[in-house]
Amino acid sequence: MITLKELEEHAIWLVGLLGHTPNLRRWSVQAAQDFGLGLDFELAALYHDYGRLFVPGRPYLLPRPLTQEEQEAMKTHVVIGYRKLKKRLGKVGLDAVLYHHERWDGQGYLYGLSGQEIPLAGRVCAVLDALDAMLAERPYRPARSWVEALGELEAGSGSQFDPAVVQWALESLRPEGVCRG
């Protein structure tokens, strides 16, 4: 049975999901199918940042770029989310939550994994999250156009992102939802 505290946490998170576009949901369904990641990934794609709710001071709500100290605190959200969701998601989902800020070149966080060391769910979630974030307006920057966002994905291919996942995104995703080219 869910507790009142858990219900409040989920209500806050659901309100926070409004910051993500409906595209993220559609894209996660397509990615789960195309990469064989399943429903567990679809759920994790929506809850990948759940741990942010529990970072002290909730710096992600600040209407400005974060300070270095706030950025370091925010990095803990992947572990916090992993721990909070451990009994609710399977391995694929937990991989998406824990590893979506790792980078193909090893310069990500928390573990500095690179290339194929990063579980596929984390690599796919990283691309979907980044694309969705680029298309969204933030208090400290305007939304990017679809063309600009795709350009940034391409620029990050092989450094920030798995090149195969970027190629899939360029061929499979559209801003109005998921379409086949």
Side-chain angles (χ1 to χ4, degrees), residues 56-179:
R58 294 190 179 153
Y60 63 91
L61 293 175
L62 297 171
R64 59 168 172 71
L66 302 181
T67 66
Q68 186 66 33
E69 184 177 292
E70 291 164 340
Q71 288 176 16
E72 290 303 311
M74 282 302 297
K75 288 180 180 180
T76 66
H77 83 279
V78 296
V79 173
I80 295 169
Y82 175 88
R83 289 179 183 151
K84 295 280 186 182
L85 296 168
K86 196 170 185 175
K87 293 181 181 174
R88 296 176 183 192
L89 293 174
K91 181 177 178 357
V92 168
L94 291 171
D95 284 350
V97 171
L98 190 59
Y99 300 114
H100 72 277
H101 284 291
E102 298 291 344
R103 290 175 47 119
W104 188 254
D105 62 9
Q107 299 301 305
Y109 65 86
L110 270 175
Y111 304 103
L113 301 179
S114 65
Q116 299 289 327
E117 293 176 318
I118 306 165
L120 179 60
R123 290 180 278 150
V124 174
C125 190
V127 169
L128 297 182
D129 183 37
L131 183 58
D132 191 58
M134 287 185 265
L135 295 171
E137 187 169 331
R138 297 290 191 242
Y140 50 88
R141 65 150 176 84
R144 289 165 179 84
S145 71
W146 181 250
V147 171
E148 291 169 327
L150 291 183
E152 286 195 41
L153 274 186
E154 282 186 296
S157 180
S159 57
Q160 183 172 356
F161 306 114
D162 177 338
V165 178
V166 170
Q167 190 60 42
W168 167 84
L170 296 174
E171 293 172 359
S172 302
L173 304 182
R174 301 288 180 263
E176 67 276 4
V178 175
C179 307

